[in-house]
Amino acid sequence: MEKPDLRVNLGGLVLESPILAASGPFGYGHQYRKIFDFSQLGAFIVKGVSSEPWEGNPAPRLAETASGLLNSVGLQNPGLKSFLSSDLPLLRDCGTKVIVNIVGRTVEEYAAVASGLDGADGIDGLEVNISCPNLKAGGMAFGTDPDATSKVVGAVRKETSMPLLVKLSPNVTDIKTIALAAEDAGADALSLINTLSGMTIDIDSGRPFLGNIFGGLSGPAILPIALKMVWQASEAVRIPLLGMGGITTSADVVRFMLAGAGAVAVGTGIFYNPEIVSALKEGLLEYMMKKKIYRVEDLRALAHRGGFAGDN
Amino acid sequence: MKKESESVKHYSTAIVAAKQVVNDRYCKLALEATLVAARARPGQFVMLYLPSQYGPMLPRPFSIFAVERDKGSITLLFETRGRGTALAAGLDAGQDLKLLGPLGSYFPEPQPGALLLAGGLGIAPLAFLAKSTTVPITLVYAVQKADHLACQPEDLSRPGLKLLLATEDGSAGFKGSAINLLSNQLEQASALYSCGPRKMLSKAASAAAKAGVQCFISLEERMACGVGACLGCAVKTGQGYKRVCSDGPVFQAGEVILNGKT
């Protein structure tokens, strides 16, 4: 059998591989480019960029939990101007597509970042992080409300003609409602899931461990939740899904695809193994050869359609 | 702070050359890691990817205690405290594991008359620093009591090194706070280099500032990536948050905010 075809179309972005680097853990990519070859990636999703610099949360910002990682980095970033002048130029020859994640505290801030990034040389798409607190709604995250989701996505959509991904928050009552709101407002694809809200307590001091008290949980601990949400979203919307949440093995990659993801992203997994991306890709190819699947697109949502025929 | 201009981050395999359980608190691990041994400078650290059969685990940062360049080996000295250090202490000679390093900034080279202050396990990078030079320096090594010494005075000694021990209960060396012992030495010091608990670092930094002596400190923080990408190991400074893993772990004391909400 010839080598399986790993190419996917993610909302207009044609990617050479369905395995992406999720926004956050890899920062702006400079450090990890010295550790692994970015051409192994379908795309690199850059850490969140806001219109003005964000300072981030007080230390400590990290706590390891059972098969998971709590973080409260607080979307620290140098802001749009500095990203465009200092970080983006270094990414132009990174060997893969670049998707920039955008964050904001108001609808206007999101729109301003999108407008500032639209059409910039070296950017192939945008991903909107709608898990940020909405300053004008008492700090409730945009992504927990269909109307707020619709407003943010609609405002960003107006500012860009680039492929637009919307990254959903799992801290919601019904992921399908939010997924539909994002699709209706013009998203080309959905990324899910962002981290789950959580906390831990230092039993020596008797106080919350994280400087920010609450953090976002990532890592293998959240994978079954992510998988369920990808399954649900794939039943609700027509646009492609980028599945993520605790991927550390190629079996995890396959599960997300069977649940309905067209492509996947790895985040926290890079911390456990800096060479994880090529390991996942190799494992996926092996699986496809074994199952005689020639195009990775054929794996998508197979679990919704009764899985493999026969005893396979 | 001193940093490598074009730092290549080596992700490689190391082999455990020897393990020595110092006492029920401390453990020494010698690793064959040629690339790290060739490049490591005092104050730098490595991330160890410890093999765990019970689910994934973040790599753990360990500061470098000693380097034997001719043998291509590095030695780590640590306290067995949590899951990561327990796994490290459970390694045996001959086992291999992945490692990333050397990472982070390093101490500037000490000039004659430099004063080094180690609190507890803060001895690890300062022992490496003390051995990395032949100039006359003073090393103050402070612990709670004698059986909390992670390494023995004879392991630290070299010609030109004046070693002063301090214990809170007087069970070895000077009895009392290291800061008191330090104050007698500080005025003549060319610079102060310190590593240890934050409270001690904060006092040492104030004492150095008062005496008009330059002070370099090495900080510790929880890390995930170790290379400056994830912004998890933040420390508050006069210019916003900096990264302990890649802006540090060695900082100019005046640069970082050591007290209060950080």
Side-chain angles (χ1 to χ4, degrees):
Chain A
M1 162 178 177
E2 60 185 277
K3 208 172 174 190
D5 184 357
L6 290 183
R7 281 174 303 173
V8 289
N9 186 323
L10 188 66
L13 272 171
V14 179
L15 310 178
E16 292 298 313
S17 161
I19 300 167
L20 288 74
S23 176
F26 299 77
Y28 297 100
H30 324 316
Q31 295 88 4
Y32 277 108
R33 282 181 66 192
K34 293 175 189 158
I35 298 173
F36 77 93
D37 179 8
F38 272 34
S39 69
Q40 294 282 320
L41 288 168
F44 168 53
I45 310 181
V46 170
K47 183 172 163 58
V49 175
S50 51
S51 57
E52 298 297 322
W54 284 7
E55 192 186 29
N57 285 329
R61 291 175 170 183
L62 297 174
E64 186 165 39
T65 59
S67 289
L69 173 64
L70 268 173
N71 90 80
S72 60
V73 170
L75 297 170
Q76 178 183 335
N77 82 90
L80 177 65
K81 256 191 220 156
S82 170
F83 170 74
L84 287 173
S85 63
S86 307
D87 298 297
L88 186 59
L90 298 175
L91 282 172
R92 285 193 185 119
D93 66 342
C94 77
T96 189
K97 297 241 153 79
V98 173
I99 299 171
V100 180
N101 182 286
I102 64 179
V103 298
R105 295 184 180 112
T106 62
V107 171
E108 295 73 27
E109 278 183 26
Y110 278 103
V113 188
S115 157
L117 294 171
D118 185 55
D121 181 25
I123 303 180
D124 300 289
L126 299 183
E127 181 188 66
V128 193
N129 174 357
I130 57 169
S131 299
C132 303
N134 182 350
L135 271 196
K136 292 181 180 165
M140 193 178 76
F142 290 95
T144 59
D145 176 63
D147 291 335
T149 298
S150 181
K151 282 197 184 106
V152 169
V153 177
V156 170
R157 179 75 284 174
K158 270 192 210 143
E159 300 295 339
T160 182
S161 51
M162 289 193 283
L164 180 61
L165 285 75
V166 174
K167 187 166 182 177
L168 305 185
S169 165
N171 304 307
V172 295
T173 322
D174 179 17
I175 197 79
K176 291 194 268 190
T177 320
I178 309 291
L180 274 171
E183 182 180 46
D184 289 345
D188 295 312
L190 301 177
S191 306
L192 67 166
I193 58 175
N194 208 321
T195 56
L196 282 146
S197 186
M199 73 178 291
T200 189
I201 293 178
D202 178 345
I203 63 166
D204 285 329
S205 70
R207 293 190 288 267
F209 180 81
L210 294 173
N212 186 55
I213 304 178
F214 302 142
L217 182 65
S218 62
I222 71 166
L223 189 140
I225 301 165
L227 204 57
K228 177 192 165 194
M229 290 188 165
V230 166
W231 174 281
Q232 291 178 307
S234 90
E235 289 188 334
V237 299
R238 292 166 169 274
I239 50 177
L241 305 179
L242 175 64
M244 63 187 81
I247 290 174
T248 58
T249 68
S250 55
D252 297 338
V253 171
V254 172
R255 284 188 187 102
F256 271 102
M257 291 176 164
L258 296 175
V264 300
V266 58
T268 304
I270 190 75
F271 299 144
Y272 303 130
N273 172 9
E275 294 173 330
I276 193 169
V277 175
S278 51
L280 294 177
K281 196 170 165 185
E282 268 171 46
L284 174 63
L285 282 170
E286 260 175 51
Y287 173 86
M288 290 174 69
M289 309 261 265
K290 194 177 111 200
K291 290 290 191 185
K292 298 194 166 51
I293 302 273
Y294 300 95
R295 300 182 326 143
V296 76
E297 298 246 346
D298 294 339
L299 279 174
R300 187 196 302 195
L302 198 61
H304 293 265
R305 305 193 299 268
F308 294 105
D311 301 332
N312 216 339
Chain B
M1 216 24 33
K2 293 267 182 183
K3 284 211 257 181
E4 307 206 21
S5 51
E6 186 49 43
S7 58
V8 178
K9 314 291 192 217
H10 295 294
Y11 181 65
S12 56
T13 303
I15 299 166
V16 178
K19 178 180 74 177
Q20 186 201 342
V21 177
V22 178
N23 54 34
D24 57 359
R25 300 167 65 90
Y26 300 111
C27 188
K28 262 187 215 169
L29 204 59
L31 301 173
E32 277 173 36
T34 319
L35 289 173
V36 183
R39 298 168 52 98
R41 311 244 200 160
Q44 290 190 302
F45 69 98
V46 292
M47 293 292 265
L48 291 192
Y49 296 76
L50 296 154
S52 158
Q53 45 186 148
Y54 306 108
M57 204 181 69
L58 293 173
R60 297 294 195 265
F62 288 84
S63 63
I64 300 168
F65 169 70
V67 167
E68 287 186 82
R69 290 194 210 280
D70 50 336
K71 287 190 193 164
S73 81
I74 61 168
T75 303
L76 313 173
L77 170 68
F78 57 93
E79 183 179 352
T80 309
R81 208 159 45 185
R83 188 174 164 220
T85 48
L87 282 167
L91 290 168
D92 288 309
Q95 276 186 269
D96 59 41
L97 73 163
K98 290 287 186 180
L99 128 174
L100 191 62
L103 301 169
S105 64
Y106 49 91
F107 289 111
E109 203 175 321
Q111 300 304 306
L115 184 55
L116 281 53
L117 170 65
L121 206 56
I123 190 65
L126 293 181
F128 182 15
L129 182 67
K131 288 257 169 102
S132 69
T133 169
T134 52
V135 303
I137 58 172
T138 301
L139 170 60
V140 176
Y141 180 19
V143 291
Q144 281 181 332
K145 48 187 182 178
D147 59 4
H148 285 193
L149 288 169
C151 59
Q152 293 306 311
E154 53 271 26
D155 295 335
L156 298 167
S157 70
R158 65 153 173 86
L161 176 81
K162 183 173 156 198
L163 177 66
L164 300 172
L165 290 182
T167 50
E168 283 172 24
D169 67 352
S171 52
F174 175 84
K175 181 181 175 179
S177 142
I179 302 296
N180 292 342
L181 178 55
L182 195 72
S183 54
N184 304 326
Q185 316 281 331
L186 206 49
E187 304 253 319
Q188 305 93 44
S190 59
L192 176 64
Y193 298 74
S194 190
C195 183
R198 285 262 170 122
K199 272 186 189 160
M200 185 201 81
L201 292 180
S202 167
K203 286 181 188 166
S206 313
K210 215 185 217 174
V213 171
Q214 225 187 354
C215 179
F216 305 99
I217 56 172
S218 174
L219 299 180
E220 200 178 22
E221 190 51 83
R222 310 258 173 152
M223 295 177 185
C225 75
V227 296
C230 77
L231 310 186
C233 58
V235 58
K236 187 114 176 167
T237 74
Q239 292 96 44
Y241 288 103
K242 290 204 172 179
R243 302 159 296 184
V244 172
C245 72
S246 52
D247 297 311
V250 177
F251 291 93
Q252 294 247 25
E255 201 184 341
V256 295
I257 297 162
L258 294 166
N259 293 309
K261 195 161 169 114
T262 52

